[in-house]
Amino acid sequence: MGATRTWTRDAVAKRIIAGETLIIYHGHLLKIPQKWLDAHPGGALAFLHFVGRDASDEIEANHSEDTLKLIPKYSDGRVEMTNEGWLPLVPPIATGWVRRPGPNGKQEWHKEAAEVYSNEDSKFYPSSSILLVEKDKATNQPSAPSLASLQLPPSDLSLKVQTRHSNAWSELHRRITDAGLYKTPYLTGYGPEVVRYLLLACASAYTYKHDWIITSAVFLGLLWHQLVFTAHDLGHMGVTHNWTIDRILATLIADFIGGLSIGWWVQNHNVHHLVTNHPAHDPDIEHMPFFAISPAFLTSLWSSYYKRVLKYDAFAKIFLSIQHKLFYIVMGFARFNLYANSYTFLFQKAFDTKRARGGNWAWRLEMTGILFFWTWFGCVLYGCGSWQKALAYLVVSHVVTSPLHVQIVLSHFSMPTGDLGPLESFPHRQLRTTTDVICSDKIAFLHGGLHLQVTHHLFPRLPRHNLRKASMMVKQFAKEEGLTYAEFGFVEGNGEVISTLRHVAEQVKIMGKVAKEEVREAVEKRNMAVKANLKRASNGHGLKEH
């Protein structure tokens, strides 16, 4: 597999500081060229979060056998492994460092954010935690990350145990593959799905024709709700397992029928799967100023995904203090936020000269799809007969999709957000930050099969109709490895999420009271100082008169 030179950990660290993107894969050192960072379908962040780390499990979980065969060409030798496995380095992006073109056009280090290390060891701020905040522009910044910044912060995790979890996951992956669970059940799986989609589409068209506007809007919302599950499968290459075919089908569903960008969703969702529930890196939990599921967000974190500060401003203080009361209202209109994210992504890609694989035709197909969507949906709204009916149709059709958004957050909002650092293995992280929603097989279609999120996160490309069988094997794996397989009912899960939101809301109120008390004390001290000065001045004046 490529060159035979063996690299020490220190040598790897020095090469990273020199600007190379290096990742460990089964003991081999992979050197990722800039052109592949630009062309990777999952985005550059999928690489950057694993610089200096062993990404073997993440690579195999998210790539097909055909793609894995291409990896040898990127090998630059082997690395020195300890008896317990590879001791990871901290990726530069975790401490706010990224590579950007400099004045001469060459890639240079850029400090986009400042790192904040934990000074405690708690649920939200474990000792291994590294968060990002806005850098102080007035302070001179170093020109590149240092060897010290690549070293691991204190951690309670054992490299030996984490390596054991990783090896056990690899064995589980082999068993699932041998069991044929990667084979898509087209007839028994997607057959009923297609029938359901057609029935909902026909029902929406029929009721619309008979001027049953609200009923038609409900059926259309249900169609969108169901279709998004198949778009999700296709985005993970979990249907035909062919990137081009799955992407075209996903675009037809997401963009042409749903008005959403599959390209945005794939890039966003891939990062979510790799750094699940990390406050500074996972876009799926970065919803400031509307939601905060960790007190960490109350420090105005920097998002490495959105490349901006998630501001804890005056509006956020008001909204977050009642976020648990507004949860379902916001979820009812969450689809509009998906539009905003989708169109922002497509707009930015219009000026991207280094689009990812298939970027040119895929972007053009998506733009065509968005125009097609607003053409047919615009005609539907216009045909309602009045702006009042059109508004009702728009609102109802979108609110009907809200259970989907509620379900999505159930699997992560109530789970830990503390950063355990690069030492944490892939299976340990996914089981720690993800939970299942228990439901009967008879109504599993309402959840799109994705109520089995734990198994999905461990095996993202697995066809969702096979998740139930695989989950039995995952539960046994968790038991053998001493890991917790979290699951709860839909009602219980909603309660857990509301409880998490309420906890942060209480923190906001406490911080507000503390701030008011500090202001009051400051005012009192100032008034006392003013009185003291006046008294001294008065005494001095009296002496002069005397």
Side-chain angles (χ1 to χ4, degrees):
M1 190 176 183
T4 58
R5 178 173 177 176
T6 300
W7 299 89
T8 65
R9 185 171 181 271
D10 287 343
V12 172
K14 290 177 181 178
R15 290 181 62 181
I16 291 172
I17 292 174
E20 295 184 69
T21 303
L22 304 175
I23 295 172
I24 315 303
Y25 177 72
H26 290 308
H28 288 267
L29 185 65
L30 304 183
K31 180 180 179 180
I32 313 300
Q34 184 62 42
K35 64 180 182 180
W36 189 231
L37 282 174
D38 297 331
H40 186 236
L45 287 174
F47 288 117
L48 300 183
H49 284 301
F50 288 90
V51 171
R53 299 174 57 185
D54 190 330
S56 302
D57 296 344
E58 286 83 358
I59 290 174
E60 295 194 345
N62 290 281
H63 296 85
S64 65
E65 289 295 328
D66 290 339
T67 301
L68 294 178
K69 293 176 182 178
L70 302 175
I71 290 181
K73 64 187 294 186
Y74 298 106
S75 176
D76 195 31
R78 300 190 68 88
V79 293
E80 284 188 357
M81 305 282 281
T82 70
N83 293 331
E84 298 177 346
W86 171 257
L87 182 61
L89 296 163
V90 174
I93 195 171
T95 53
W97 287 101
V98 294
R99 303 275 292 173
R100 290 182 181 175
N104 58 3
K106 294 183 179 180
Q107 293 288 324
E108 296 179 355
W109 283 114
H110 171 74
K111 184 73 168 174
E112 66 176 8
E115 69 273 31
V116 178
Y117 294 90
S118 175
N119 56 5
E120 57 181 282
D121 192 9
S122 64
K123 175 183 177 182
F124 295 105
Y125 303 99
S127 59
S128 53
S129 178
I130 305 177
L131 297 174
L132 297 177
V133 295
E134 187 174 18
K135 67 179 182 180
D136 186 354
K137 297 179 181 179
T139 304
N140 290 329
Q141 300 291 341
S143 59
S146 64
L147 287 173
S149 70
L150 299 185
Q151 304 309 312
L152 293 171
S155 175
D156 294 330
L157 297 179
S158 161
L159 176 60
K160 181 179 181 180
V161 173
Q162 295 304 308
T163 300
R164 190 193 74 207
H165 292 330
S166 177
N167 293 335
W169 177 86
S170 295
E171 174 58 25
L172 175 62
H173 193 193
R174 184 192 63 77
R175 288 168 50 208
I176 284 178
T177 302
D178 291 344
L181 296 183
Y182 272 101
K183 296 179 180 178
T184 303
Y186 292 107
L187 185 60
T188 59
Y190 286 101
E193 301 280 354
V194 172
V195 172
R196 188 180 303 116
Y197 302 156
L198 291 175
L199 287 175
L200 289 172
C202 290
S204 180
Y206 179 82
T207 50
Y208 182 85
K209 183 179 179 180
H210 288 77
D211 202 30
W212 301 337
I213 299 299
I214 300 302
T215 306
S216 174
V218 170
F219 281 125
L220 179 59
L222 291 174
L223 175 63
W224 284 338
H225 173 273
Q226 287 292 294
L227 277 175
V228 76
F229 296 124
T230 297
H232 170 275
D233 302 342
L234 292 161
H236 275 296
M237 285 179 57
V239 182
T240 71
H241 308 294
N242 178 287
W243 186 88
T244 301
I245 296 176
D246 278 0
R247 178 53 62 90
I248 292 174
L249 292 175
T251 304
L252 293 175
I253 292 175
D255 297 73
F256 282 75
I257 301 178
L260 304 174
S261 168
I262 191 64
W264 160 75
W265 180 86
V266 167
Q267 196 168 90
N268 176 287
H269 199 64
N270 281 345
V271 175
H272 160 67
H273 268 265
L274 295 172
V275 286
T276 311
N277 268 24
H278 193 301
H281 303 298
D282 181 3
D284 271 18
I285 65 168
E286 296 178 337
H287 300 298
M288 293 285 287
F290 300 105
F291 293 129
I293 64 172
S294 166
F297 287 106
L298 308 185
T299 57
S300 291
L301 294 179
W302 171 270
S303 168
S304 65
Y305 180 85
Y306 290 111
K307 303 301 180 186
R308 60 178 173 82
V309 176
L310 305 173
K311 293 183 179 180
Y312 179 58
D313 53 19
F315 179 79
K317 291 176 184 178
I318 296 174
F319 208 96
L320 295 182
S321 66
I322 53 174
Q323 62 175 349
H324 54 297
K325 298 179 181 179
L326 299 177
F327 175 66
Y328 294 108
I329 296 176
V330 175
M331 287 293 101
F333 296 91
R335 192 175 181 88
F336 292 102
N337 183 55
L338 302 186
Y339 290 141
N341 287 326
S342 292
Y343 305 153
T344 299
F345 172 83
L346 291 174
F347 176 77
Q348 293 172 343
K349 285 299 176 182
F351 302 96
D352 184 0
T353 58
K354 298 179 180 179
R355 292 177 190 153
R357 172 189 173 187
N360 291 323
W361 69 258
W363 180 83
R364 288 195 295 269
L365 183 61
E366 284 209 72
M367 290 303 298
T368 301
I370 298 300
L371 292 174
F372 178 83
F373 168 79
W374 284 109
T375 297
W376 74 258
F377 189 57
C379 290
V380 168
L381 295 178
Y382 181 79
C384 289
S386 67
W387 70 265
Q388 294 93 337
K389 287 185 178 181
L391 179 61
Y393 196 99
L394 176 69
V395 172
V396 171
S397 61
H398 285 65
V399 170
V400 167
T401 67
S402 61
L404 164 67
H405 308 292
V406 172
Q407 179 211 321
I408 291 173
V409 304
L410 287 186
S411 299
H412 300 291
F413 268 30
S414 62
M415 301 303 286
T417 57
D419 171 27
L420 299 190
L423 203 60
E424 186 175 26
S425 67
F426 170 67
H428 188 280
R429 181 171 60 254
Q430 300 308 331
L431 283 160
R432 179 177 65 87
T433 59
T434 311
T435 182
D436 280 358
V437 177
I438 302 171
C439 80
S440 167
D441 288 342
K442 295 180 180 179
I443 60 171
F445 73 92
L446 294 175
H447 296 278
L450 296 180
H451 55 293
L452 299 168
Q453 277 286 305
V454 174
T455 302
H456 169 62
H457 264 254
L458 287 172
F459 305 100
R461 295 183 300 105
L462 203 66
R464 64 179 159 98
H465 300 98
N466 295 335
L467 288 176
R468 174 68 72 184
K469 293 180 181 179
S471 68
M472 299 296 103
M473 300 168 71
V474 171
K475 287 182 178 180
Q476 183 60 33
F477 156 80
K479 182 178 180 180
E480 293 172 353
E481 291 298 309
L483 299 171
T484 301
Y485 188 111
E487 56 183 349
F488 44 50
F490 187 80
V491 175
E492 181 187 357
N494 274 265
E496 292 288 335
V497 169
I498 296 299
S499 176
T500 297
L501 295 174
R502 182 184 293 110
H503 171 76
V504 177
E506 291 171 351
Q507 295 298 310
V508 172
K509 293 177 181 178
I510 291 173
M511 290 174 66
K513 291 180 180 179
V514 171
K516 288 180 180 179
E517 183 63 23
E518 290 177 344
V519 170
R520 185 186 66 79
E521 291 179 357
V523 170
E524 288 181 353
K525 288 180 180 179
R526 187 198 65 177
N527 291 339
M528 291 176 63
V530 170
K531 290 179 180 178
N533 289 334
L534 289 174
K535 184 176 181 180
R536 284 195 296 270
S538 175
N539 291 336
H541 182 65
L543 287 171
K544 287 180 180 180
E545 286 185 337
H546 179 72

